[in-house]
Structures are given as structure tokens and as C-alpha cells.
Amino acid sequence: MAAPSKESTFEDLLRTLAPQVLGVLIRRHGQFAECEDAVQEALLAAAMQWPASGVPENPRSWLLTVASRRLVDYWRSESARQAREQRAAALEPPPREDPSPSSETDGIAEDTLTLLFLCCHPALSAPSQLALTLRAVGGLTTAEIASAFFVPEATMGQRISRAKQSIKKAGAHFELPEPGERKARLGVVLHVLYLIFNEGYAASSGPSMQREDLTAEAIRLARLLRELLPDEFEAGGLLALMLLTDSRRRARSLPDGMLVPLAEQDRRLWDRAQIAEGLELLSTVLGAGRPGPYQLQAAIAAVHAEAPSAAQTDWPQILALYTVLEAVAPSPVVTLNRAVAVAMAESPRAALELLDGLGTGLGDWHRLDAVRGHLLEMSGDPAGARECLLTAAKKTGSLQERQYLLVKVAKLGQLST
């Protein structure tokens, strides 16, 4: 394996430090929007200076100093002389003894956790929660986030700006929610990280089927959340799910970019280290209490990971897990996935019956048509399968997935003639 480049090392360090520095600034001064802008400017300065001058002895302190100066500059430009002096003086933290390494680490961890909850505030829409989490906690620039979701940088900038204003209007403070609210808000935090991972693992649009930058960032943030909340078993379940799913990344496409479905993947390409880590983590959280949806999805991924081949997959066990998942967290998507398990464990005809009525719940999502086409092919109806797959190809925004579906359509056309 090649050693990481200096550039990637700098990027990893900056992304790790970004939420730590932002947490300190907000805790000292409030004003989320201004502090976040100041941190972004400090990160930009570091990205420009550190590759040439080297990483400072205390990079976190360096970033904090630069960001604090940016805040002073901002307040000076916005205020009259008297107000400028008052606010600049307020920037100086009260004298205190240097914290012990353990207490400083605890403070950093709590700040990062608080920042995660703040970015997933219920006053924000789901797209705003995604964008703000990636920027404030993930340390990504507006341009990087815009590129990930295929929108203009100006559009993403406006979305982030509106999100910060919404937090301000909601009167949100930089503090952990009360235990009752924290439990409810944790579900939102987990969901945001799950959405980030899914967008990276199966990009909804664009030329690439996978966005490794997003999956890697989602896994990094999930690891962080797991470390911060070791007693929250769903946080562990989500991380296990990500690791087990991402382990198949190298086998999901051919060198020319053509998608390879799970049943046809070369399992020798699966990342066994990730699988081992995911299985070990799952064993520590599953069964420790009532399983949540992420633990159950991880358990399903584990069955796939442990199967020596597609033919040896324990589909009855997967069907049983999907049945439990549907009871715990019912949704049209879960029913759609359970239908595939029914087809493999019982019969494709029984699975097709489950798809009736799902159209209203899934809207124009292409995967309903793709699954229906797959089930029709399994049941011996190539003409019907071809029609469904062609419809799915027209709906999907992923160029690689569309290519795969059209190739399938062409092959089924040959069978039906």
C-alpha cells in the first residue's frame, strides 16, 4: 500500500482539528456563524502555508490563534471604535492554569459532540444538516461539499449561510441537549452520517458511482461518534454497517466503471480487515439491548460478508432479519429489500406480490423498477423485466448505473426475440 501523500496528511489533520477549534471559539464567544467563518479562513491559511513552512509544533493552537484574529478583524470592521475595543478585549480568555492533558482531551471530545448535535438541530432541513455537518465537523470547504452533491458552489454557500442563520434564529446555544432531547437528537445525528455515507457509496447523480471522499468522511465521523458515545449501541451499529458495506467497494465496479452487482462480485477483492473490524464491533453491540435499525442492517451486511460465495448466502437468515427490521423501523425501502430476500429464500413470485402498492411510498425512485425487473427476470418474464429495467434506466441520475441497466436491457432483448 502506498504511503499517504503530504497533501492528504495535511487534509486529514485539518479535518480532525476543524471541529476542535470551532468548538473552543463558540464556547468562548458564541456567534456560531462568525466563528465558523473564522475557522474556515484559518483552515485556508493553513492549507496555503503549512505545505511550504511545515506543520507548527502545536497546530491546534496555531489555528485557534489565526481564527481568533479573524474574529477580531471582523468585529473591528463591523463596529464603532468603542465597540471594537470592547469586543477585542473580550476575545482574551480569562487567565487560567494550563489544563492537564486528560481534561483538555475531555473538553475537546465534549466540544465536538456538542458541535455534532448543533449541526443536526431540528430547526434545520435535512440538506442543511448534511451541509453544515460536513463543513463544521468534517472540515470540508464549501467547494468540496458542492462538488459532492453536484450543485454550484454559490448554491451550497447560500444553503450553509441559511443554515447558520436558522441556528441563530432558533436561539440554539453551544451546549449539549438535555438527556431526553439528546436521545431524540441522536437519531438525527446518526441519520445525517448515514445519508453522507450512502451518498458516497451510491452517488445519486454524476459520472462516478462511488464518492470515496464522502464514505471515508462518514466513517471517520462515525468512529468519532462511537468514541464519544461508547454506550450508545446504535452508534456502534452504524459504524459496523459502514465498515461492512464499504468493504465491498473495490469489487463493485470493473476497471471500465461498469457496475458489478453483489451476486457477481469477486469476493477476493473485499477488504477483509474492514470486515473483521465490522464483525468484531457488531458482536459487542448486538444483543446488548433491544437492537436498533442500524444494528439490524449491520447484521444483514454481516451475513453477506461471512458467506464464502453468493450461492452460499444464508438468505433465510437475511429474510428473518429484514422481517425484524420492518417491525422495528417500517419503511417502503425496507419492504423493497425484504422482497429481494423473499425472492431468494422463497420465490420471486411471492416477492413480486410484496411490491404492489409500494409505488406511492417510493415515488419515482428508480430502484423499485430495477428490483421489479430483476424479479421478473428471475420468474422467467424477460420482456416484462426489460420494460421495468428500461424505466429504471431513464429515472436514475447515476451514469454508471444507467449504463449497467441498459446493458441488461439489451441482453434481455436478445432473450425475448
Side-chain angles (χ1 to χ4, degrees), residues 54 75-76 141 149 162-163 172 190 212 245 249 252 293 297 300 324 337 353 357 401 404 408 417:
W75 283 330
R76 283 176 175 167
T141 65
F149 291 96
R162 286 196 298 267
L190 294 172
E212 293 181 28
T245 304
R249 178 173 12 101
R252 293 184 67 229
Q297 290 179 75
I300 293 168
V324 176
N337 290 328
E353 293 178 4
E401 193 164 13
Y404 167 78
K408 288 280 293 182
T417 56

Side-chain angles (χ1 to χ4, degrees), residues 274-298:
Q274 273 190 305
I275 290 175
E277 183 184 0
L279 292 176
E280 182 179 2
L281 177 57
L282 181 61
S283 69
T284 65
V285 298
L286 194 62
R290 183 180 179 183
Y294 296 114
Q295 294 170 69
L296 290 169
Q297 290 179 75

